[in-house]
Amino acid sequence: MNIMSTAEQTKSSGAPAGVVVHGPLAPRFAEILTPEALAFVAALHRRFDARRQELLAARSARQVRISAGELPDFLPETQKVRDADWKVAPIPADLLNRRVEITGPVDRKMIINALNSGANVFMADFEDANSPTWQNNLEGQVNLADRWQRSIDFKDATTAKQYSLTANPAVLLVRPRGWHLLEPGLTVDGAVVAGGLFDFGLYFFHNVRAQLAKGTGPYFYLPKLESHLEARLWNDVFVFAQQQLGIANGTIKVTVLIETLPAAFEMDEILYELREHMAGLNCGRWDYMFSFIKKLRANKAYVLPDRSQVVMGKAFLRAYSLLLIKTCHRRGAFAMGGMAAQIPNRRDAAANEAALARVRADKEREAGDGHDGTWVAHPDLVPVAKEVFDRLMPQANQLTRMREDVNISQANLLEVHQGTRTEGGLRENIRVGVQYIEAWLRGKGAVPLYNLMEDAATAEISRAQVWQWIHYGITLEGGTVASPELLNRLITEEMERVRKEVGAEAYDGGRFEEAVELFRKLSLEDDFEDFLTVPAMGLLRPTG
């Protein structure tokens, strides 16, 4: 691959004053990093980054209050917003039936297969399912631009199989990175640009007109919001971006993932702030479980059982999903269900059918409760989820189900699941967490592990639960105490198991040593690290 130095590429690209591209300029990257596109991203950065940083500081201040004993609750200052009757703006026709959505990273083959999967929607992910190497991020932008501006196809170098789009691909949504993540490959006036502004800005700039010409629009998923003020910032970004490109206000439509504990108490307010651009909310349940641990980490009363026992049908997860449905439908917005991460097991028919039965039961709960659609991680699950929603939701959506019978309190949203804490659960967290981090360091953001497709959220839950149990010295089933000494012993044992599973060559040639040390550090340090991807970014190589 021919690459240019930072100085060479910045000079040759004609980058605007104050803008420096630090990532290598591989073939076709210049199509994305045009002077005009860089100027657009720079304008977003200069106008909005100070507010982004202020809001991140507000997150930290709120965490200090929670750790001092304040519990998350509905905001008294926004009571009028919750009480008033209002609706979000009309939702475009191609987003009215979202019964099955598939998600995945932005690599070329995945994009084609997901768009062809039979799902109604594909969410192309620059966030949790993407290891944010410079190459992954820019290749993703090239791939998505090809979806709209030219024919996107792919030939597998190993199998020689050809991939191309079918006549009726899924509706495309894009998930930019959360407010806390940066893009070190680009600086403006000496400051690193926010990953979310980078992802959104380049995609919107290059594709909005082609999307509108094809009868669709610029649709996005927004991750990791913790307050309505963070939603307001995104709304202001959208208004400014549309003005800059001469696009009608409200053309952008977004679905917000409710995947943090504070956001669950501000659903109405988030919908209100984004009401001109709003399409719905989503139950980002894996990250939500992580956020529950993280936000309440200073209170032993909120120690969770094995994560396999923290299920959607009970306690705080049940309450939050029902509240999301009620809140969305009252405002005319969609209530999207959570992820089915199972990977079909073609070698074991009995195990496969048991896994599919769990998927069906989960989707039946979602459709029965009133969700308007759901997520899957694998194309083979699309027909499984679609059958359930076709059977229980024969109409396009369930916006008319108001769920006025649902009344969720602060106590409901903080109710802890009952269950056991076991050494087996601790071992699973170690094994899965380390393997995911190792793959992420190699540039892989969506990782198949033990017949599940895992992303960064699973690693976050794993290391957060290990930290929580060790921090409080929890006594596990059988009487063993969770301690640093136990963790170190189990890491050694579990890595021996992983080495046998993946093979000595793959293990020794991978990045397991770095992954183990990062997992160990995050699990044992006194101060809880908010996101493992932040320190892990320092270990990433441009190409993974």
Side-chain angles (χ1 to χ4, degrees), residues 424-489:
L426 187 58
R427 288 179 179 272
E428 181 183 18
N429 281 331
I430 294 168
R431 194 167 60 250
V432 170
V434 170
Q435 286 187 87
Y436 180 84
I437 293 171
E438 191 275 335
W440 191 92
L441 293 176
R442 288 188 288 107
K444 304 296 182 183
V447 183
L449 294 171
Y450 308 108
N451 297 314
L452 295 174
M453 186 62 73
E454 308 289 17
D455 67 10
T458 305
E460 293 284 29
I461 297 168
S462 297
R463 63 95 180 185
Q465 189 156 59
V466 172
W467 182 93
Q468 188 183 49
W469 289 4
I470 291 176
H471 185 75
Y472 287 108
I474 296 300
T475 300
L476 307 176
E477 291 290 296
T480 303
V481 174
S483 66
E485 294 75 22
L486 178 64
L487 176 67
N488 288 324
R489 175 171 67 82

Side-chain angles (χ1 to χ4, degrees), residues 166-213:
T166 57
N168 296 298
V171 176
L172 179 61
L173 278 73
V174 170
R175 177 160 69 168
R177 281 168 281 182
W179 283 134
H180 62 289
L181 292 172
L182 299 174
E183 176 46 67
L186 186 71
T187 58
V188 174
D189 306 328
V192 179
V193 167
L197 294 180
F198 182 89
D199 301 335
F200 161 76
L202 291 177
Y203 179 71
F204 181 72
F205 181 88
H206 285 294
N207 301 299
V208 59
R209 290 186 174 84
Q211 291 168 324
L212 295 175

